[in-house]
Amino acid sequence: MSKCTLPLCVSDFSQPDGFIGVNIGTALSDMPSPTQVVALLKAQNIRHVRLYDADRALLLALANTGIRVTVSVPNDQLLGIGQSNASAANWVARNVIAHVPATNITAIAVGSEILTTLPNAAPVLVSALKFIHSALVASNLDGQIKVSTPHSSSIILDSFPPSQAFFNRSWDPVMVPLLKFLQSTGSYFMLNAYPYYDYMQSNGVIPLDYALFRPLPPNKEAVDANTLLHYTNVFDAVVDATYFAMSYLNFTNVPIFVMESGWPSKGDSSEPEATLENANTYNSNLIRHVLNNTGTPKHPRIAVSTYIYELYNEDLRPGPISEKNWGLFDANGMPVYTLHLTGGGTVLANDTTNQTFCVAEEGADPKMLQAALDWACGPGKVDCSYLLQGQPCYEPNNVVAHATYAFNAYFQKMAKSPGTCDFKGVATITTTDQSHGSCIFPGSAGRNDTLPNSTSLAPSSNSTSGCHSVYIYGAGSFTTSVIISVLLMSVFCL
């Protein structure tokens, strides 16, 4: 057992690059077929999934895909498995051995949040883990398949500052042998982390930006007075609180996987922050945070692989409206929103239609928008004639509207290639058609490929200057001017 006597301990484990996975719930009135589920996973380049059971049809559909699968022992089966080695062996034979190696099962989650939701089963939790593991050993699968159990972050007391966090001591008779098991088998601590609930339950103490991974000024960052570590988001603070809670029990070499994290896209009147924009912001930022291998302040550059909760909206889930609206997709495989992941990799760039558009980012600096607009209509070779006075997209005559048109025209011209809707951070992707009146945007179902007879304002391919067409807003008119700007050339010109 590793010893840790300092507030800030050096870990004696290492992690490979972090990954993003998804949870697949089944409380849908119109659940997609296993084939449809797998097709969506492939289209989204999702290589890691967690099932809340061991559904045979879905496991068969996942065969020969290479997708790494975590199967689960449902809570209602835990007592039987935890009291009988034979029951555990039968479960593994039926739900694991029957499917490997064709289906790439890599982990078994035994129950979910047992200590907080099914405490009467807690005394047999570690036995269940050991029995399941023994069955894997007997089939020589223990090296390939890890065994653990997901915990709610609520088992951690005094979670801020993280260095003072500890597990609820009443669970020590379970937690200590559990951590010994995870350590001896090379498994990991499964944590469910929900900054949404931390924010909602904080009575205004936790800023929304802190929960959503939005940038904070240095004076707004949370500082752990014991370690002087700076925390810029709730997610990292919760993960580090878990690391510290384990070190309090003298375990410093058990890595953490976050098995559930997300943000609801819709809620009732008591859940004002359950919105599409906040869900998009949280999940987009979380995915970038994980895939960048940022780690946490306590363990920088040690990846925290995370499963997004969840793939589909589950309309049959009981409870408030938010409970039905954690999904990235609806039952038809249509995105609830399009994640802001331009340039962030291919996983979960969740546009499953041709109807995606590039728009000016809300709140973007007007000067940056102007410079990006100049580039799009100049070196970007976008046909901006639609934006001239008297043309269909002239109104509304402001930099946001005109930049949105130009950004989208470039995005569509470049076949929506990764990185072509960024413009130095002032553009983002949406599924909302921006067409209005007679102004039909490129990429819209209402527009064909025939362009009006007009002279393109983009420089010709043999132009000696790559940055001479600049569009300026002044005196209420949209004009063209020849301006040489060192700043614009250095930032936006090819």
Side-chain angles (χ1 to χ4, degrees):
M1 185 184 303
S2 301
K3 297 294 182 182
C4 177
T5 57
L6 299 174
L8 178 60
C9 303
V10 178
S11 67
D12 48 7
F13 63 86
S14 62
Q15 280 270 62
D17 288 347
F19 64 77
I20 285 290
V22 295
N23 289 276
I24 304 178
T26 58
L28 287 77
S29 56
D30 187 20
M31 181 68 193
S33 70
T35 302
Q36 291 172 319
V37 173
V38 172
L40 180 59
L41 296 174
K42 288 181 176 179
Q44 296 301 310
N45 198 29
I46 297 168
R47 307 302 300 166
H48 300 80
V49 299
R50 184 263 190 110
L51 313 183
Y52 285 95
D53 50 23
D55 182 79
R56 181 177 181 274
L58 188 49
L59 287 173
L60 288 172
L62 286 162
N64 304 311
T65 63
I67 294 172
R68 298 167 70 90
V69 182
T70 296
V71 295
S72 300
V73 176
N75 284 1
D76 60 5
Q77 298 179 32
L78 181 67
L79 279 172
I81 287 174
Q83 294 173 327
S84 168
N85 206 339
S87 294
N90 287 337
W91 191 94
V92 169
R94 186 173 63 254
N95 297 298
V96 177
I97 296 172
H99 296 282
V100 296
T103 302
N104 189 17
I105 298 174
T106 57
I108 301 173
V110 180
S112 180
E113 301 188 349
I114 294 299
L115 300 186
T116 48
T117 63
L118 195 64
N120 64 306
V124 302
L125 177 59
V126 175
S127 295
L129 292 167
K130 289 180 176 179
F131 290 159
I132 292 287
H133 183 257
S134 294
L136 294 174
V137 170
S139 297
N140 199 30
L141 291 173
D142 54 303
Q144 170 188 336
I145 302 174
K146 301 301 180 185
V147 181
S148 189
T149 183
H151 297 280
S152 166
S153 62
S154 65
I155 67 170
I156 302 166
L157 303 182
D158 292 336
S159 59
F160 202 90
S163 62
Q164 293 183 192
F166 58 93
F167 295 121
N168 186 328
R169 298 306 301 271
S170 65
W171 293 122
D172 279 4
V174 176
M175 192 59 66
V176 172
L178 170 61
L179 292 173
K180 285 182 178 178
F181 169 82
L182 298 179
Q183 179 180 255
S184 66
T185 60
S187 190
Y188 40 86
F189 189 96
M190 291 180 170
L191 176 69
N192 294 342
Y194 284 101
Y196 171 75
Y197 289 127
D198 293 323
Y199 167 78
M200 290 290 288
Q201 295 163 10
S202 73
N203 295 317
V205 173
I206 294 177
L208 181 60
D209 287 348
Y210 184 56
L212 292 172
F213 290 92
R214 284 178 177 152
L216 297 172
N219 64 328
K220 296 293 186 182
E221 294 177 359
V223 180
D224 187 324
N226 298 317
T227 62
L228 300 183
L229 294 175
H230 287 237
Y231 287 87
T232 61
N233 61 80
V234 174
F235 181 88
D236 282 352
V238 172
V239 172
D240 271 2
T242 309
Y243 277 128
F244 276 109
M246 287 193 287
S247 69
Y248 187 85
L249 296 176
N250 292 321
F251 292 88
T252 61
N253 58 353
V254 178
I256 293 172
F257 276 28
V258 173
M259 299 305 293
E260 294 181 12
S261 194
W263 197 283
S265 61
K266 186 178 181 181
D268 57 32
S269 58
S270 66
E271 303 170 299
E273 304 303 342
T275 67
L276 283 171
E277 183 57 34
N278 287 344
N280 196 339
T281 298
Y282 179 81
N283 282 325
S284 297
N285 287 338
L286 172 63
I287 291 169
R288 276 192 292 266
H289 187 67
V290 170
L291 296 184
N292 287 342
N293 294 320
T294 306
T296 66
K298 186 180 191 301
H299 292 313
R301 295 175 299 282
I302 293 180
V304 182
S305 294
T306 299
Y307 291 79
I308 300 291
Y309 184 83
E310 57 185 330
L311 185 63
Y312 295 111
N313 276 339
E314 294 186 273
D315 62 311
L316 298 182
R317 286 188 64 85
I321 292 175
S322 63
E323 281 297 305
K324 309 174 192 296
N325 290 279
W326 290 83
L328 299 171
F329 297 89
D330 65 19
N332 295 317
M334 297 295 292
V336 177
Y337 47 85
T338 301
L339 292 161
H340 300 320
L341 292 178
T342 301
T346 57
V347 64
L348 274 172
N350 61 343
D351 169 30
T352 59
T353 76
N354 289 323
Q355 294 287 290
T356 51
F357 305 87
C358 183
V359 300
E361 182 79 76
E362 183 179 353
D365 183 342
K367 292 182 179 178
M368 294 288 285
L369 286 175
Q370 178 69 63
L373 170 61
D374 296 339
W375 184 89
C377 294
K381 298 184 179 180
V382 166
D383 182 358
C384 291
S385 60
Y386 289 89
L387 301 176
L388 292 173
Q389 190 165 4
Q391 295 301 312
C393 300
Y394 173 71
E395 296 290 350
N397 181 28
N398 60 64
V399 69
V400 173
H402 284 195
T404 289
Y405 180 89
F407 292 174
N408 179 68
Y410 181 78
F411 180 58
Q412 304 295 335
K413 182 166 79 87
M414 300 305 291
K416 307 179 187 178
S417 300
T420 58
C421 180
D422 183 69
F423 293 92
K424 300 297 182 182
V426 297
T428 189
I429 294 172
T430 181
T431 56
T432 303
D433 190 340
Q434 302 296 304
S435 302
H436 53 89
S438 60
C439 178
I440 308 301
F441 270 48
S444 170
R447 175 165 172 167
N448 60 34
D449 294 333
T450 304
L451 298 178
N453 293 325
S454 60
T455 302
S456 172
L457 299 179
S460 64
S461 58
N462 62 358
S463 172
T464 57
S465 171
C467 278
H468 66 276
S469 296
V470 180
Y471 302 87
I472 302 174
Y473 290 87
S477 64
F478 180 70
T479 62
T480 304
S481 176
V482 178
I483 295 179
I484 303 300
S485 169
V486 174
L487 176 62
L488 295 185
M489 290 177 68
S490 63
V491 176
F492 288 102
C493 298
L494 296 177

